[in-house]
Amino acid sequence: MAPRLDFSDWWAKDTRKGTPVVVKMENPNYSVVEIQGPDSAFRPVEKSRGKNAKQVTWVLLLKAHRAVGCLTWFATVFWSLLGAIKKRLSFTHPLGSERLGRDRWLFTAIKLFLALSLLILAFEIVAYFRGWHYFESPSLHIPTSTLEIQSLLHLVYVGWLGLRADYIAPPIKALSKFCIVLFLIQSVDRLILCLGCFWIKYKKIKPRFDEEPFRNDDAEGCGYVYPMVLVQIPMCNEREVYEQSISAVCQLDWPKDRILVQVLDDSNDESIQQLIKGEVAKWSQKGVNIIYRHRLVRTGYKAGNLKSAMSCDYVEAYEFVAIFDADFQPNPDFLKLTVPHFKDNPELGLVQARWTFVNKDENLLTRLQNINLCFHFEVEQQVSGVFLNFFGFNGTAGVWRIKALEESGGWLERTTVEDMDIAVRAHLHGWKFIYLNDVKVLCEVPESYEAYKKQQHRWHSGPMQLFRLCLGAILTSKIAIWKKANLILLFFLLRKLILPFYSFTLFCIILPLTMFVPEAELPVWVICYIPVFMSFLNLLPSPKSFPFIVPYLLFENTMSVTKFNAMVSGLFQLGSSYEWIVTKKAGRSSESDLLSITEKETPSKRSQLLRGVSDSELLELNQLEEQKQAVAKKPVKKINKIYHKELALAFLLLTAAVRSLLAAQGVHFYFLMFQGVTFLLVGLDLIGEQMS
């Protein structure tokens, strides 16, 4: 047996006092250890005691390096942002800033609110550094007697606290509760729509028709009788997209003697008119039944253009009319997938197809638009079409029964949403609508914020203008009461008026205001949980967009300014309520278009095409080709813009974020900061492409 070495007698001599033992080794990783007792040598030593001065120095240097790197990153981002701001502010182009016009009232109100917020913030900061922290705790005693007042400034601050609690907070609380109720109602409506969409997918509900709807055994020849279809392409100065839209429509799979294509050109640029005429002549030489129409007096915008085209005598021979905007490219089988639904269904007035977007991944702005439009088509319109047989006509990619248009009064020029106008009037006359989610037509979404903002202004001012005009007709119509309630309460008020009202008022006005009036503070679930859940529902039809849920939420709040302004303009007939600006297109091409471009007509095909053309027409076509090449080589100048309302709201929200820091409100601070930065980026036109 190994000998037992017992040193307990030595260690037991003095157990209350530690005996320092110095161990000198060549390895510097060992350090001085103080043994406190007989068992302490066998217990694990704390790591903090095992670190020498050199290790501590390295740890401190590493932490300092990380801190400096973080500060450097923030400084770089901040410097880049300042550089972008300087670039935008130093731009002196006459179109370099937004022209407010008669909509200046909202910008003036935001500026006054911002000035007042800055004044109150400065006052609160002074009070904070003087130790008057009454806003941090409601139970903190506010001085009331003159003996507790320290100075005149202290007296003013105490008076402000009393004014804030007794007179300012109650109306803000009432308004916030009203907006929260509207917010919850709209959230319930959105949830019901999603449940309806899930039910449609679960039951696989969709409109169907016979496999051979046009077969007629009594007919001669092939045994198929196709109805007469009129196809209209309204356009105005559409230099970028006219060629691809005309090309797609002229390739529709339908008997040539049963279809007529109308190119309705409202362009005021003669060079564009000549280009469109040349394109029409090219397809006419190929045997397509196509005509070119140009109005000398451009009144009524798109509605006036369509109304003028429907007044032609030859339209009486046609039963259906398909409408495509200039940037839409239908597939060849479009008519064979839509027109058959009208057979044996005399009450059907409209068949609407879905839009898909060739440039949805072009930039962040197009991705965010794709989220909204996917929800609109797959959820809102599909559910309304299945359960109500009514929805708003999208103005394009749809087929109308001409009889339904005529009985409903035809195209009217009274609003900028002629498509919604004719849909509402057709619904009041008892016509039913069908929405086809599986039939998709390729088109574009605006790539610049300027174009998108003008489009959204028209889309939100027009419905309110229409609501004022058709409310009496809805109330006196012979449709069922529940259909009237759906039109007034859901279609117009909830989705066209209440949505922009509460989103702007609650998140852009009340929320920053409550930072200066803590007595009316909004709960966290209003500014965080419910909005995130609703954004999640909006992203369900486009699951690939889930990484953009936070930018989508912030951008939608930013767009509420434009939508609220447009809603008020349309409701009260302000200056910009009847403003129509053609949405700028980029002329993006799909993969099939690119393939067709690579397989351009060979010289032999071109000579065969031009064989029956006269010398004057041939000269004109050659001039048009030269003009196209000259336009393609011409450099495009980009224009940066500054948006005053968005910038003013950015500074307002950032000011409120600084105020929330004094009250240590975490969620409110982060929301206000990120929302303010989003407004700043949009106000400086840093989202999407610049206008050309």
Side-chain angles (χ1 to χ4, degrees):
M1 179 181 292
R4 182 175 180 269
L5 301 177
D6 191 0
F7 298 101
S8 60
D9 295 336
W10 294 2
W11 289 336
K13 289 181 181 179
D14 190 4
T15 58
R16 291 173 297 176
K17 246 183 169 184
T19 302
V21 178
V22 179
V23 181
K24 294 184 178 180
M25 304 285 291
E26 293 182 359
N27 191 346
N29 290 329
Y30 294 94
S31 58
V32 178
V33 179
E34 184 176 344
I35 302 176
Q36 298 292 340
D39 299 329
S40 60
F42 303 97
R43 291 197 300 265
V45 181
E46 296 180 5
K47 292 184 179 180
S48 61
R49 294 186 179 183
K51 293 179 180 178
N52 56 23
K54 191 174 182 180
Q55 288 176 319
V56 173
T57 303
W58 278 108
V59 170
L60 292 177
L61 286 175
L62 180 61
K63 291 184 177 180
H65 180 267
R66 290 179 178 176
V68 171
C70 184
L71 291 176
T72 305
W73 183 82
F74 276 110
T76 303
V77 173
F78 183 69
W79 187 258
S80 301
L81 185 60
L82 286 180
I85 295 174
K86 182 180 179 181
K87 178 182 177 182
R88 294 300 192 270
L89 294 178
S90 61
F91 192 73
T92 57
H93 194 278
L95 296 177
S97 61
E98 179 189 18
R99 290 177 291 182
L100 296 173
R102 298 182 182 180
D103 293 335
R104 189 177 293 274
W105 63 273
L106 183 58
F107 179 56
T108 303
I110 295 174
K111 284 196 300 183
L112 293 176
F113 192 15
L114 174 61
L116 184 62
S117 301
L118 290 172
L119 180 63
I120 297 175
L121 177 63
F123 197 21
E124 295 281 7
I125 292 176
V126 172
Y128 179 83
F129 283 106
R130 294 206 175 193
W132 306 333
H133 303 164
Y134 306 119
F135 53 82
E136 291 184 357
S137 176
S139 60
L140 197 63
H141 173 68
I142 298 178
T144 55
S145 63
T146 55
L147 297 177
E148 297 176 306
I149 301 299
Q150 302 175 7
S151 62
L152 179 61
L153 184 62
H154 193 195
L155 178 63
V156 174
Y157 184 68
V158 171
W160 156 247
L161 294 181
L163 176 68
R164 188 179 73 186
D166 296 336
Y167 299 100
I168 300 179
I172 295 178
K173 286 182 179 179
L175 182 60
S176 62
K177 288 179 180 179
F178 177 68
C179 290
I180 290 173
V181 170
L182 297 180
F183 183 27
L184 294 177
I185 293 174
Q186 198 270 338
S187 302
V188 171
D189 173 65
R190 190 62 55 93
L191 181 60
I192 292 174
L193 287 174
C194 290
L195 293 176
C197 183
F198 287 141
W199 180 260
I200 292 172
K201 289 186 176 298
Y202 175 72
K203 291 292 185 178
K204 297 180 180 180
I205 302 174
K206 64 177 183 179
R208 292 179 173 85
F209 58 86
D210 297 334
E211 293 183 0
E212 295 182 345
F214 303 120
R215 185 176 182 85
N216 189 351
D217 297 333
D218 298 333
E220 299 179 359
C222 64
Y224 291 87
V225 177
Y226 290 87
M228 299 287 287
V229 178
L230 178 68
V231 182
Q232 296 178 333
I233 313 176
M235 57 179 63
C236 179
N237 296 327
E238 307 282 3
R239 183 188 298 272
E240 296 80 9
V241 294
Y242 76 93
E243 188 174 3
Q244 59 194 30
S245 63
I246 295 176
S247 173
V249 169
C250 289
Q251 297 179 57
L252 288 173
D253 186 11
W254 201 256
K256 293 185 178 181
D257 60 334
R258 313 294 292 178
I259 185 174
L260 172 65
V261 179
Q262 282 184 321
V263 179
L264 312 177
D265 183 24
D266 258 3
S267 303
N268 53 11
D269 189 335
E270 292 185 1
S271 62
I272 299 178
Q273 294 177 23
Q274 296 301 321
L275 292 173
I276 298 174
K277 285 181 180 179
E279 187 69 17
V280 171
K282 183 182 77 172
W283 286 101
S284 180
Q285 290 295 324
K286 292 182 179 182
V288 177
N289 192 10
I290 183 172
I291 60 174
Y292 173 86
R293 278 182 56 87
H294 177 73
R295 293 192 302 163
L296 296 177
V297 180
R298 183 193 169 198
T299 58
Y301 303 113
K302 181 180 176 181
N305 197 1
L306 294 173
K307 182 179 179 181
S308 174
M310 294 298 293
S311 63
C312 297
D313 296 336
Y314 55 79
V315 174
E316 297 178 358
Y318 293 86
E319 187 177 357
F320 305 104
V321 55
I323 302 173
F324 299 100
D325 282 350
D327 59 318
F328 279 71
Q329 307 169 47
N331 292 326
D333 60 349
F334 175 84
L335 293 179
K336 290 189 174 180
L337 294 176
T338 54
V339 177
H341 289 278
F342 290 96
K343 187 176 182 182
D344 300 327
N345 195 357
E347 296 181 349
L348 183 60
L350 168 67
V351 175
Q352 174 70 61
R354 180 176 175 171
W355 302 358
T356 55
F357 310 103
V358 67
N359 60 339
K360 62 182 179 181
D361 297 323
E362 191 66 27
N363 54 47
L364 178 60
L365 178 61
T366 59
R367 289 186 172 95
L368 299 180
Q369 291 180 70
N370 181 61
I371 295 173
N372 259 341
L373 292 170
C374 283
F375 183 87
H376 171 69
F377 289 116
E378 188 153 348
V379 179
E380 289 182 345
Q381 292 214 313
Q382 186 172 209
V383 172
S384 299
V386 170
F387 295 104
L388 302 176
N389 293 122
F390 168 73
F391 47 83
F393 175 47
N394 297 322
T396 178
V399 181
W400 276 95
R401 189 189 297 271
I402 295 180
K403 182 180 178 182
L405 290 177
E406 293 174 349
E407 288 188 358
S408 304
W411 299 104
L412 299 182
E413 307 169 8
R414 56 182 182 175
T415 68
T416 57
V417 284
E418 75 295 326
D419 45 8
M420 185 181 295
D421 189 359
I422 188 63
V424 171
R425 287 184 282 116
H427 182 58
L428 295 180
H429 281 78
W431 291 98
K432 295 181 179 180
F433 303 162
I434 283 180
Y435 174 76
L436 303 178
N437 193 56
D438 297 333
V439 181
K440 302 176 181 180
V441 181
L442 203 63
C443 63
E444 288 187 17
V445 287
E447 296 183 9
S448 68
Y449 179 70
E450 171 71 11
Y452 179 61
K453 182 177 181 180
K454 291 178 179 178
Q455 181 195 69
Q456 292 300 305
H457 187 279
R458 177 166 54 87
W459 285 4
H460 286 81
S461 64
M464 287 296 96
Q465 195 178 17
L466 177 62
F467 178 66
R468 294 176 61 257
L469 295 173
C470 68
L471 179 60
I474 295 174
L475 294 175
T476 58
S477 64
K478 298 180 181 180
I479 61 175
I481 296 179
W482 68 269
K483 291 184 178 181
K484 296 180 182 180
N486 172 68
L487 266 178
I488 296 174
L489 299 179
L490 293 181
F491 186 76
F492 279 112
L493 292 183
L494 183 60
R495 297 169 189 168
K496 303 296 188 297
L497 188 147
I498 291 177
L499 178 59
F501 170 77
Y502 85 75
S503 58
F504 172 73
T505 307
L506 190 62
F507 296 108
C508 299
I509 299 298
I510 294 179
L511 179 59
L513 190 61
T514 55
M515 295 299 100
F516 301 97
V517 186
E519 295 84 356
E521 179 182 341
L522 293 174
V524 175
W525 59 269
V526 173
I527 64 173
C528 182
Y529 302 142
I530 299 296
V532 170
F533 177 70
M534 299 312 299
S535 300
F536 175 80
L537 292 181
N538 284 359
L539 267 70
L540 287 179
S542 52
K544 293 183 180 180
S545 301
F546 271 100
F548 302 98
I549 184 171
V550 174
Y552 171 75
L553 173 62
L554 298 174
F555 183 70
E556 281 301 295
N557 291 335
T558 305
M559 284 304 301
S560 65
V561 184
T562 299
K563 296 176 181 179
F564 175 81
N565 184 31
M567 181 268 294
V568 174
S569 299
L571 191 62
F572 297 102
Q573 293 290 325
L574 299 182
S576 60
S577 61
Y578 198 69
E579 180 183 13
W580 181 295
I581 299 176
V582 178
T583 304
K584 187 71 174 177
K585 283 93 174 179
R588 303 290 179 184
S589 299
S590 62
E591 294 181 2
S592 60
D593 295 326
L594 295 175
L595 289 175
S596 64
I597 291 174
T598 58
E599 299 174 357
K600 278 282 187 181
E601 300 169 345
T602 61
S604 60
K605 289 184 178 180
R606 178 175 173 82
S607 61
Q608 182 179 1
L609 174 64
L610 300 177
R611 189 172 298 169
V613 182
S614 62
D615 294 339
S616 60
E617 292 176 343
L618 181 61
L619 179 61
E620 185 178 356
L621 288 176
N622 290 332
Q623 291 176 353
L624 290 175
E625 290 293 335
E626 294 176 358
Q627 190 174 1
K628 286 182 183 179
Q629 295 176 2
V631 171
K633 294 179 181 179
K634 186 178 180 180
V636 178
K637 184 178 181 180
K638 301 293 183 179
I639 297 176
N640 300 328
K641 284 211 170 186
I642 295 176
Y643 302 99
H644 302 90
K645 292 190 287 290
E646 284 79 358
L647 283 180
L649 276 169
F651 293 125
L652 173 62
L653 292 170
L654 293 176
T655 302
V658 174
R659 174 60 179 81
S660 67
L661 278 179
L662 301 180
Q665 296 169 313
V667 176
H668 296 73
F669 166 73
Y670 288 114
F671 181 85
L672 288 167
M673 181 184 68
F674 287 117
Q675 190 64 70
V677 171
T678 305
F679 267 104
L680 185 63
L681 295 176
V682 172
L684 295 174
D685 199 12
L686 294 177
I687 183 172
E689 301 290 338
Q690 271 81 45
M691 287 289 290
S692 59

